Amino acid sequence: MAGKYRRAKTPAEKVAVVKAREEQLTALQGRLTDHVRAITSGPAWAAWLAAAAKFHSYSFRNTVLIQMQAPDATRVGGYNTWKAVGRQVSKGEKGIAILAPVVRKVEVDAGAEGTSTQTEDRRRIVAFTQAYVFDISQTQGEPLPEPPRPMLLQGQAPDGLWDQLAAQVRAARFELQRGPCGGANGITNYETRTVTVRDDVDDLQATKTLLHELSHALLHDPSFFKDDPTTALCRGDAEVEAESVAYLVAAAQGMSTDDYSFPYIAGWIGRRDPAEVLEATGRRVLAAAHTILDGINATDMVAVSSDLARIRERGQVGAERAAALLESACAETSGSSDAQRAELCALLTDAQTFYVEQYPDTWAPTYIESRFGQAVATDASWGFGRAPGEWTALTDHLRGLGYADETLEASGVCLRTRKGTLVDRFRDRITLPVHDRDGQVVSFVGRRNPTNDDERAPKYLNGAQSPLFSKGEHLFGIAGPGLVGLERGARAVLVEGPLDAVAITAGTGGRAVGVASLGTALTDAQADRLTELYARSGQQITVATDPDRAGRAAAERAYFALAGRGQNPKAAALPEGVDPAQLLTDHGELAVVEAVEDGPDLARAVIDHRLAERGRVNSVEERVAVARHVAQVLAPLGQDKWEQHIAHIAERLDVGPTTVHAMVVEAAVAGGAAQGRLEGHDRHEDVDHGQFVPRTAVEMAREGLSTNFAVRCLDPVPGAGRGQVPARPTEPHAVDRGR
């Protein structure tokens, strides 16, 4: 079959494959540039640009106003604009009210500061008034020039290609689904970690769209740019990259997507030079194309290819170095690695059995019973164990079972000393197993003996990192009783320590499930996993970190991580100075249930914490400064959840709600939220001057920003350049979070 991937076997073959593919993709990139240039230099394109140039780019506020009054609007313009393009507003049509700038001549100092008193007249925006615009559906006359449009593809894709691409989507930690996409062909949503492909197109189009969305998943996750937001791409460049990758991979697999890809890419390039745009994005496009092609028919190379793509997209290596890395990675991901993982799984299962056997008739069950009662202490489903106090008790036991020292050290439960000998990592501790998604024990957490007053010994000790375990990737509490509760729709409650997790699950009878992050800071991978648990239970996640300074800081970090993924987490109502485990010990199960179920929104708790940190403020300047600091909390939340918190902030600081609202929008701009990005693209040259409307439009703009900001952006010129967010009905991605 055309495009069938034959896996290279020898190192020389692997290097040859990479080099040959590099040449093929480079040639395809050249063909892509030539065809897009041909489209953008044609007469139809010129006519379309000439007509499109007559339309203004509307500001965020006016986009909101248009959406509120005419949700189905597609292209709007003033009365004179429609006349200029050969169309007339139909008799009796009611205009759409927006804001228009008032421009006047003002005198300004034309000389250098302090050196001249010469002045000159310049035109400045001094105010805003109101004007009417009309949607194309309210007009009649000559049809508007249209550029070449993408044509939906028809036919069949190569057998098995969809499944191979779907595996890579899952490897990137996205869920793939088919269904309506609101007029688009596909949607990649980083908040819900979903990729959706419309289900009413031919197989060839669906597979091409899946390639496009997979490219977004590999290249445009906002977390890639969080350390340096200035490196994030504008929407147009992101779409050019994704469709370019789709075209290259499809062509390499024997699929022709010319009728769709060429006009689509041209549309997002707009007025810019195709050669410059495609050259600027070329390195990342080639990297992503290599990554996807590496994974086709080579599922054991998906993770390796993903890592390689990260290296390539940062521009750290060239083709020869990438080939060498690929050769090394192939060797490291051979069958021996699978055998090693299987052996480690067996070893950790044997270690769990050993710890459980050492648990009875020691201080360990006595301590658990004193905290949670006899029923919990004797419940085998928790997997409580005890590590003996001897230095090599587990090591000697596992050696007796036939495990080699190299495997013992790789497991994370045995530690090599400076003298080169192996000893147990956990000694005289209660052990709690950590499980992966499949229920396999991958590591342990050890709780120090409470009679041990050695301050050098940590209260909780995690297993060492291993091929099976990384503490930033796993959560404690989602196996055993926790898994049963989650399957029944229990609420996930994020806590700091494993015993706090036990307290939540046991104290609520499984109505809530305690989940510990195995560290103070919640990682992106753990936040993704918690979001999956929310999707499973349907209940918002509750955060129950300790009510001390460190715990409140951890709760704030968790809030931003979860809110950025579309969640509106709750806060547990814990008494001051009491963690969940102590609450169960001192006050019983009812107190735990009430703490979990009666807590406020975590956003409100974080706001109140920030207000308390700033203390008493008196002057107007201080109140405004604190309001701006607190407004940042609302930036990642959905806009429909802003108003109640804005009213709370305004009341606490005696600042106007409108002022606080503007600060929240400002914070959303800085943080990259969808509505913030649209606000940041504000333009003043909005409408034809001199067309006035009633006062109500101004009131709407000031008081009512309650629409879905990212559903529709009415810019008539797709891809006109950085700073604009074009309205494209095809292939959106999570830059448009509302779509």
Side-chain angles (χ1 to χ4, degrees):
M1 178 193 307
K4 183 72 173 179
Y5 180 88
R6 185 184 69 82
R7 188 183 308 175
K9 296 181 179 180
T10 68
E13 287 180 339
K14 294 167 186 173
V15 173
V17 166
V18 171
K19 290 183 177 179
R21 185 189 297 155
E22 197 83 39
E23 294 175 357
Q24 179 192 25
L25 295 184
T26 300
L28 288 170
Q29 247 186 342
R31 181 173 183 267
L32 175 63
T33 302
D34 291 341
H35 281 264
V36 172
R37 182 189 287 114
I39 290 175
T40 56
S41 61
W45 194 264
W48 168 67
L49 285 180
K54 299 180 185 298
F55 291 84
H56 294 288
S57 299
Y58 289 90
S59 68
F60 167 75
R61 296 179 182 86
N62 282 331
T63 299
V64 172
L65 287 173
I66 293 167
Q67 283 279 270
M68 294 170 68
Q69 300 168 79
D72 296 327
T74 58
R75 177 171 292 184
V76 298
Y79 183 88
N80 292 333
T81 297
W82 287 118
K83 287 181 63 177
V85 296
R87 296 184 69 87
Q88 182 69 39
V89 175
S90 300
K91 185 177 180 179
E93 290 289 349
K94 181 180 179 180
I96 303 169
I98 64 172
L99 298 175
V102 177
V103 181
R104 291 179 181 168
K105 289 183 179 180
V106 296
E107 289 188 350
V108 297
D109 186 358
E113 184 175 354
T115 64
S116 172
T117 59
Q118 181 181 359
T119 62
E120 64 180 35
D121 290 340
R122 294 184 184 175
R123 296 178 66 83
R124 294 283 178 86
I125 296 175
V126 297
F128 285 87
T129 185
Q130 300 161 308
Y132 278 135
V133 293
F134 301 88
D135 182 53
I136 189 173
S137 62
Q138 300 175 287
T139 67
Q140 55 188 352
E142 295 295 326
L144 293 180
E146 293 289 345
R149 295 293 185 184
M151 301 292 292
L152 289 178
L153 305 174
Q154 296 182 342
Q156 295 296 311
D159 291 342
L161 183 57
W162 173 276
D163 293 335
Q164 293 158 345
L165 298 175
Q168 295 191 51
V169 169
R170 292 189 292 270
R173 299 203 303 273
F174 282 80
E175 178 186 353
L176 177 60
Q177 54 194 23
R178 298 293 299 273
C181 296
N185 291 330
I187 300 174
T188 295
N189 191 313
Y190 300 109
E191 295 175 349
T192 61
R193 306 297 292 184
T194 56
V195 168
T196 306
V197 176
R198 60 185 287 190
D199 55 0
D200 59 347
V201 293
D202 275 11
D203 179 60
L204 185 60
Q205 177 65 49
T207 304
K208 199 288 307 173
T209 298
L210 181 57
L211 273 170
H212 181 106
E213 303 305 330
L214 174 57
S215 303
H216 280 313
L218 292 177
L219 289 174
H220 304 136
D221 192 318
S223 65
F224 294 169
F225 310 104
K226 63 182 179 181
D227 294 333
D228 184 10
T230 61
T231 63
L233 298 178
C234 73
R235 170 76 189 281
D237 284 353
E239 291 298 328
V240 168
E241 286 190 351
E243 189 61 25
S244 296
V245 173
Y247 166 75
L248 294 181
V249 175
Q253 291 294 300
M255 298 165 52
S256 175
T257 67
D258 298 11
D259 291 343
Y260 191 97
S261 297
F262 294 156
Y264 184 89
I265 293 170
W268 284 102
I269 289 177
R271 302 175 186 271
R272 296 175 291 168
D273 180 8
E276 291 182 1
V277 176
L278 294 174
E279 181 179 358
T281 60
R283 179 184 291 272
R284 289 163 54 83
V285 167
L286 283 174
H290 276 290
T291 297
I292 296 172
L293 289 168
D294 286 343
I296 293 175
N297 280 346
T299 55
D300 57 332
M301 294 169 61
V302 169
V304 175
S305 300
S306 182
D307 291 339
L308 187 58
R310 301 292 181 269
I311 296 172
R312 283 172 172 154
E313 75 179 4
R314 297 299 182 188
Q316 296 174 356
V317 296
E320 289 77 10
R321 177 58 178 152
L325 287 174
L326 181 60
E327 176 184 340
S328 173
C330 289
E332 293 176 2
T333 55
S334 61
S336 61
S337 177
D338 294 336
Q340 181 196 34
R341 293 176 64 86
E343 187 175 23
L344 289 175
C345 288
L347 182 151
L348 291 169
T349 300
D350 289 335
Q352 168 65 2
T353 301
F354 174 80
Y355 288 143
V356 169
E357 291 173 348
Q358 309 302 311
Y359 177 73
D361 303 324
T362 65
W363 63 267
T366 303
Y367 174 76
I368 296 297
E369 183 176 349
S370 70
R371 301 297 306 274
F372 309 126
Q374 184 180 15
V376 174
T378 58
D379 186 349
S381 63
W382 285 107
F384 290 125
R386 173 184 168 267
E390 294 82 5
W391 282 89
T392 61
L394 176 64
T395 300
D396 293 340
H397 173 73
L398 294 175
R399 278 175 174 158
L401 295 178
Y403 293 104
D405 282 6
E406 293 79 4
T407 306
L408 296 177
E409 185 177 5
S411 69
V413 295
C414 297
L415 176 68
R416 191 171 293 278
T417 67
R418 294 180 180 178
K419 296 181 180 180
T421 59
L422 283 175
V423 297
D424 295 354
R425 181 173 181 83
F426 301 105
R427 297 185 300 278
D428 196 25
R429 289 177 177 269
I430 294 174
T431 61
L432 300 97
V434 179
H435 299 82
D436 65 10
R437 295 170 180 265
D438 299 324
Q440 167 65 44
V441 176
V442 293
S443 190
F444 299 89
V445 180
R447 204 292 183 190
R448 186 183 64 199
N449 188 331
T451 63
N452 182 358
D453 56 3
D454 184 356
E455 295 181 355
R456 295 173 299 175
K459 182 177 180 180
Y460 288 103
L461 179 66
N462 292 313
Q465 183 160 320
S466 75
L468 300 181
F469 171 74
S470 172
K471 72 174 184 178
E473 297 285 336
H474 292 85
L475 294 167
F476 174 83
I478 56 174
L483 180 61
V484 173
L486 291 170
E487 294 291 352
R488 294 175 179 173
R491 178 195 303 269
V493 180
L494 178 66
V495 297
E496 290 186 56
L499 291 187
D500 289 330
V502 173
I504 293 292
T505 305
T508 62
R511 292 163 60 183
V513 172
V515 180
S517 60
L518 303 177
T520 302
L522 187 71
T523 67
D524 286 342
Q526 290 168 338
D528 290 341
R529 185 70 173 120
L530 282 172
T531 302
E532 294 175 14
L533 298 181
Y534 160 72
R536 175 180 293 186
S537 69
Q539 298 196 53
Q540 289 291 356
I541 298 162
T542 294
V543 175
T545 52
D546 295 351
D548 54 21
R549 185 181 183 87
R552 283 189 287 267
E556 183 166 327
R557 288 193 296 270
Y559 164 75
F560 281 104
L562 296 172
R565 288 164 170 79
Q567 304 303 307
N568 182 25
K570 307 283 286 185
L574 294 172
E576 188 68 27
V578 179
D579 62 28
Q582 195 64 45
L583 182 66
L584 179 60
T585 301
D586 295 347
H587 302 283
E589 296 178 353
L590 181 59
V592 177
V593 172
E594 291 176 345
V596 170
E597 295 186 352
D598 296 342
D601 288 347
L602 184 55
R604 178 63 56 84
V606 174
I607 288 170
D608 288 342
H609 173 56
R610 287 195 171 193
L611 290 172
E613 277 187 327
R614 292 301 179 101
R616 185 173 181 177
V617 291
N618 298 311
S619 69
V620 173
E621 292 79 4
E622 288 177 326
R623 296 201 304 272
V624 169
V626 174
R628 179 170 284 107
H629 176 62
V630 175
Q632 297 171 358
V633 176
L634 300 183
L637 274 185
Q639 183 266 344
D640 60 314
K641 303 178 181 66
W642 284 358
E643 297 306 324
Q644 57 176 319
H645 299 301
I646 287 174
H648 177 67
I649 296 169
E651 181 180 359
R652 288 286 302 271
L653 293 173
D654 193 21
V655 176
T658 303
T659 300
V660 179
H661 197 295
M663 292 174 177
V664 175
V665 173
E666 178 184 351
V669 173
Q675 59 266 37
R677 278 192 297 276
L678 286 171
E679 173 69 33
H681 299 153
D682 200 356
R683 296 287 184 274
H684 292 306
E685 62 274 26
D686 281 335
V687 297
D688 301 316
H689 305 314
Q691 299 162 359
F692 301 104
V693 295
R695 174 70 179 170
T696 54
V698 174
E699 300 300 327
M700 292 167 65
R702 290 177 176 172
E703 303 297 336
L705 299 179
S706 58
T707 189
N708 185 343
F709 294 90
V711 168
R712 189 189 304 271
C713 180
L714 301 176
D715 179 0
V717 186
R722 291 182 180 273
Q724 296 188 17
V725 184
R728 265 293 188 189
T730 55
E731 314 268 29
H733 57 102
V735 171
D736 288 337
R737 296 192 180 187
R739 299 188 71 164

